[in-house]
Structure formats: structure tokens, C-alpha cells
Amino acid sequence: HVSACDNYPTLCRANNKTPVLPREAYLPINRCNLPAVILGSPTYRDAPMPLKLDGVAELHADLFRRLDAAQAPAQRAEIFQDYMTVHFRLNRPEDAGYNATRGGRRGAHYMSVLRGWSINADSREGAVLKGWVESRFGLTPRFHGEPLRDSSAPAYRHYLEMRAAGLYGTHALEAQLDLVYSYCQYELAHAWPADTLLTLYRGVNHMDDFEQLGGDARRPRLLLNNLNSFTGQRERADEFGDYILTVRVPTPLIVCYCGLLPGALRGEDEYLVLGGVYDVTRSTL
């Protein structure tokens, strides 16, 4: 068993051959058991260990006891969704300020945010998810409709406006997403050890959309956005671009995946993956 403490010596001592996460790509603090500079770096991909969001297991201990008592994944998914509905009062939108007589938009919830991401990662729902990743894991967004390099630029202000609009009138939406991640990790732990690396794929048309930190044309080292969509099927990635990016992803960096919750993500065997620095294999169709 390997300690998940953020001062574990193997994690915190990078060598000169392993570049750390660029300073502008992370925050100095986050809300999980490892700092962003570690979990977003190649060091973590070489020696992954479980990630835990602060307070989630303690606050929702009853949920995880119920999940432990269920045998089938479908049964656990039903338990999870029922818990979310009751705990966050998702069937009572008026509790979050919605008034049907005055019109207006109902606040988003975890399922609508995941569906919105699947349709358009640069949408309001996408801004909420990228903002949640920044808050919880300390990885800053690098792209939302256009590059986000300057926090004083109009593009960054527009991203913040979309994020704020997406969080308005919701039932603790970011806390809902905390549980989605934690439930995802619970289910993944039933299938694989925490140090498992899944091979995932992404189809792209323009490599110049990515920040390359090293490597070469075939095996670049890329700084990915703080949240990204991949697929578990190479043939599905072919449908989305002229180049195929292949990555090896530790399971603790997976936020959600197709099949975790019925109807949450599209049917392309989609995985939502935390960003950072990745060694990527690029191939053509």
C-alpha cells in the first residue's frame, strides 16, 4: 500500500528530466489530498495513487454504506441518483429560487451539466465543469471557446461570466459534482486498482490548438485543458478528426465515463479526464 499523503517522497521529488506542470496552469491550493503541481504532472502518471476530495467521504458516509450493500452496478447507480435527488432536493427547484409564475430558467443539476458538456464543452455547462475542476483539483482552464492565457483578457472574463451564470440558482451544484467524481472513483475501484492506466483516444484536426512542452511530432508532450473528453474506442475517435491522440490515463484522473450513470454522457464510450501534462502518441487515420 502506498501513502496518499502529499509529502510522500516519491511524488514530491521530480528529476530534471521530468518537467513540472507550468506555473500558470495550476493554483497553489486545492481541495484534494495531492497538490495540483503533482497530480497534473508526468510524475503522477508514473506513480498514480487515489485522489480524495476534502470532506466528501465523511459528509456522505451514509451513501457509501448503501453502495457497499449493493451488488450490481445498476443497483448502485439507482441508489446514487436517489440519494442525489433527496440530499440536494433536486425535485424542489423553488428551494433554489425558481419561481414558475415569474418564468426564468431552472437551475442546472449534475445530470444536465454532464449532458451539456457532451453537446458542447465550451458551453455554460462546460464552464461550470472547468471551474469545478479548478476549485477542487487546482488545475486552471486553458481553453474555453478560445485560449485562456491572460486572466485580465476578455476571453477569461467571458469564461467567468458563463461559469457564474451556470452556478446561479442551483442546489449546491459544485457539491453535486464532488459526489459524481467520488462515485465514479468508487465504481472504477470495483473494476481496477488505483494505479491502472487506461488507454484512451481523442480525434483532433489541429495540433496547434494544443500547448506543446516537449517531445516531437509523433510523441509530443502536451499541456491539456483542465478537463477533456476522450473515448475508449479508437474507431470512435476517428470520427472527430484527422489525427488520433492516444494517452494512458490513471483511473483517479477520470471524472465520469459513459455507462456510469444512465443518460449522463453520449454513447461514444466517452470519458471525462482531468488535464495537466501528458505524453501523447499522435497518429493519422
Side-chain angles (χ1 to χ4, degrees):
H1 176 72
V2 179
S3 171
C5 177
D6 61 8
N7 65 3
Y8 189 73
T10 302
L11 278 177
C12 294
R13 294 175 185 172
N15 57 51
N16 291 332
K17 296 180 181 179
T18 305
V20 297
L21 188 66
R23 180 62 190 88
E24 65 274 13
Y26 68 94
L27 300 179
I29 59 173
N30 62 12
R31 301 183 188 182
C32 74
N33 58 309
L34 289 178
V37 69
I38 296 298
L39 66 90
S41 74
T43 304
Y44 181 81
R45 284 106 180 97
D46 292 339
M49 59 180 57
L51 298 177
K52 304 291 185 182
L53 294 178
D54 294 346
V56 174
E58 295 79 8
L59 182 60
H60 301 284
D62 184 55
L63 167 63
F64 293 101
R65 281 193 295 268
R66 297 182 195 179
L67 294 174
D68 287 340
Q71 299 299 315
Q75 184 183 6
R76 293 194 293 267
E78 184 176 353
I79 290 170
F80 176 80
Q81 291 179 301
D82 287 346
Y83 181 90
M84 296 289 282
T85 298
V86 173
H87 184 84
F88 292 102
R89 302 178 67 83
L90 300 183
N91 56 355
R92 297 293 301 273
E94 61 274 14
D95 291 352
Y98 175 72
N99 189 321
T101 61
R102 293 202 301 262
R105 181 182 66 89
R106 287 193 180 201
H109 53 81
Y110 70 103
M111 289 291 284
S112 64
V113 167
L114 292 171
R115 293 182 189 125
W117 169 278
S118 283
I119 295 170
N120 180 7
D122 295 321
S123 63
R124 178 168 53 195
E125 292 83 1
V128 168
L129 278 164
K130 292 168 189 174
W132 168 79
V133 170
E134 182 176 13
S135 169
R136 271 44 179 181
F137 299 96
L139 300 172
T140 59
R142 308 298 297 164
F143 189 92
H144 190 74
E146 54 186 309
L148 302 178
R149 304 291 183 268
D150 181 357
S151 60
S152 64
Y156 194 82
R157 292 198 299 271
H158 181 59
Y159 152 72
L160 291 178
E161 289 167 0
M162 293 181 75
R163 176 185 177 186
L167 290 173
Y168 179 76
T170 63
H171 297 255
L173 180 53
E174 291 190 315
Q176 295 178 43
L177 296 174
D178 290 347
L179 271 178
V180 170
Y181 172 78
S182 300
Y183 173 61
C184 175
Q185 291 302 306
Y186 180 92
E187 286 297 312
L188 288 171
H190 276 71
W192 294 287
D195 59 355
T196 299
L197 298 175
L198 298 185
T199 300
L200 301 178
Y201 309 92
R202 181 184 175 99
V204 300
N205 284 314
H206 305 291
M207 288 302 297
D208 53 4
D209 290 341
F210 295 93
E211 298 174 78
Q212 184 166 342
L213 304 182
D216 53 37
R218 188 171 183 276
R219 296 184 182 275
R221 173 163 280 179
L222 303 180
L223 173 60
L224 299 184
N225 206 356
N226 69 344
L227 189 63
N228 311 268
S229 282
F230 285 87
T231 177
Q233 302 177 33
R234 192 186 190 284
E235 59 271 21
R236 300 310 302 265
D238 291 351
E239 302 170 8
F240 293 93
D242 298 328
Y243 302 103
I244 304 297
L245 304 183
T246 303
V247 295
R248 298 272 284 164
V249 179
T251 54
L253 298 182
I254 296 173
V255 170
C256 188
Y257 59 90
C258 184
L260 177 69
L261 296 168
L265 295 175
R266 296 180 299 182
E268 292 103 0
D269 196 18
E270 184 177 5
Y271 288 76
L272 266 62
V273 175
L274 296 178
V277 178
Y278 281 82
D279 289 317
V280 174
T281 298
R282 192 196 79 165
S283 57
T284 55
L285 300 181

